[in-house]
Amino acid sequence: MVIAQTPTPTPTPSSVLTPAKNLNNDIELLKSQLEFLKNTNVQLGESFNKFVAAMQFTLGIFAFLGVFLSFFVGKNIEDAKKVASQLINREVENKITDLVQSEVESVKRSLQRERVIGSTIVDYYLPSNDTIEPNDCKLLRTRGFDKVRYWNQKKKPKKPVGDIFVLDLINSKLLEGQEFLGLSKEDAENKREDKVKEQINLALDWLDKNTVLVIYVKGRYREIDNLAARVDYYYIPVNAPISLLGIVADSAYVAYGEKQ
């Protein structure tokens, strides 16, 4: 089979650039570049003139103020400098005085808070026979609570208790252990609810009306959620050592306010 070959087309005049046309294009390009440079130069000149005018205006204002201030103080530039220095110094002194006063007030509030914490009586009860204080109790002393009394099942507190009563249901292991093994999830939850209620009722019998009850426990319990419906005491649950320190410190202010 013969494959036909297409002949090569002859270039038409419209597809070929002549030297004269190239020259015209170069001239047009040069003219546009010159026009761009001209416009740019005009814009730069206008911007520079505006800058110079602004600077002249600013210097004029300063000069006017200098003349006015000199005339006001008796046309004596040295007196003008003294007046300006006095005004600046007075303003700086006022700012420093305000700053120092603010810092003094902040220190006063901090000292007052620490005095409240230092004078607050905390009763820490662990429903266990363990006579050794848990670390959480020791942390309260480290925080600045000087009057922390530790109690357990062998040595229970007596009325009236102090400003804050901490019921420790975490370190007592009361809500865990062998007695919950083999129980269904529902039965285990009910058993824990009964134990929480029993310990809270025991604590309520010791509390003074103005005592803040801090319940140190992990998890959520219906008895604690519904406690507000049956008691008129300040109380709050907490579940971690750092939170315990903060809550007991805040509770100290609540107890202090109730005594005032």
Side-chain angles (χ1 to χ4, degrees):
M1 180 180 293
V2 179
I3 300 176
Q5 184 176 1
T6 304
T8 304
T10 303
T12 62
S14 62
S15 64
V16 178
L17 293 175
T18 64
K21 193 168 185 180
N22 281 332
L23 180 60
N24 289 335
N25 288 340
D26 291 341
I27 292 173
E28 291 297 324
L29 178 61
L30 181 60
K31 287 172 63 178
S32 65
Q33 290 175 340
L34 290 173
E35 187 68 23
F36 172 77
L37 292 174
K38 179 182 176 181
N39 292 335
T40 303
N41 184 58
V42 171
Q43 292 176 357
L44 288 174
E46 291 177 352
S47 299
F48 181 74
N49 290 334
K50 289 180 181 179
F51 172 75
V52 171
M55 291 300 298
Q56 289 176 341
F57 177 77
T58 303
L59 292 174
I61 292 294
F62 278 117
F64 172 77
L65 291 176
V67 172
F68 175 78
L69 184 60
S70 299
F71 176 80
F72 180 74
V73 296
K75 300 180 181 181
N76 188 323
I77 194 63
E78 292 300 325
D79 290 342
K81 291 180 179 179
K82 290 180 180 179
V83 171
S85 178
Q86 290 173 357
L87 292 175
I88 293 173
N89 289 336
R90 185 181 306 165
E91 186 65 20
V92 171
E93 289 176 358
N94 290 339
K95 293 295 184 183
I96 292 177
T97 299
D98 293 341
L99 180 60
V100 170
Q101 186 63 31
S102 176
E103 291 299 320
V104 169
E105 292 300 324
S106 177
V107 171
K108 285 182 178 179
R109 288 192 296 269
S110 297
L111 291 176
Q112 175 64 18
R113 180 181 179 86
E114 293 306 313
R115 279 197 294 266
V116 170
I117 289 176
S119 63
T120 298
I121 300 175
V122 180
D123 285 287
Y124 193 104
Y125 177 63
L126 181 70
S128 168
N129 292 326
D130 196 346
T131 58
I132 300 176
E133 294 182 0
N135 288 332
D136 299 298
C137 183
K138 296 176 182 177
L139 285 175
L140 292 176
R141 291 193 175 89
T142 303
R143 173 59 184 86
F145 288 93
D146 299 328
K147 303 176 181 178
V148 180
R149 302 183 298 203
Y150 173 66
W151 309 99
N152 55 39
Q153 287 183 331
K154 292 183 177 180
K155 186 181 179 181
K156 296 181 180 180
K158 297 180 181 179
K159 294 188 68 172
V161 293
D163 305 301
I164 300 173
F165 190 92
V166 179
L167 175 60
D168 186 352
L169 298 178
I170 293 181
N171 293 301
S172 68
K173 311 297 182 183
L174 193 68
L175 303 178
E176 57 186 75
Q178 296 291 331
E179 59 182 312
F180 294 97
L181 296 178
L183 297 179
S184 65
K185 182 178 179 181
E186 183 179 358
D187 290 341
E189 289 179 355
N190 290 334
K191 190 176 185 66
R192 290 188 178 93
E193 287 285 352
D194 291 340
K195 286 182 174 292
V196 169
K197 183 176 183 179
E198 177 185 0
Q199 294 302 320
I200 289 179
N201 287 339
L202 185 63
L204 292 176
D205 289 338
W206 292 325
L207 296 190
D208 185 80
K209 191 64 177 179
N210 297 326
T211 302
V212 180
L213 173 61
V214 178
I215 307 171
Y216 192 30
V217 63
K218 289 182 179 179
R220 188 167 181 174
Y221 293 90
R222 296 188 302 272
E223 177 60 27
I224 298 176
D225 291 341
N226 300 329
L227 192 56
R230 68 185 186 93
V231 300
D232 193 25
Y233 293 98
Y234 290 107
Y235 72 93
I236 184 169
V238 60
N239 60 8
I242 295 178
S243 300
L244 177 67
L245 293 178
I247 290 298
V248 175
D250 291 339
S251 299
Y253 256 119
V254 175
Y256 176 79
E258 284 296 310
K259 292 189 296 185
Q260 300 306 306

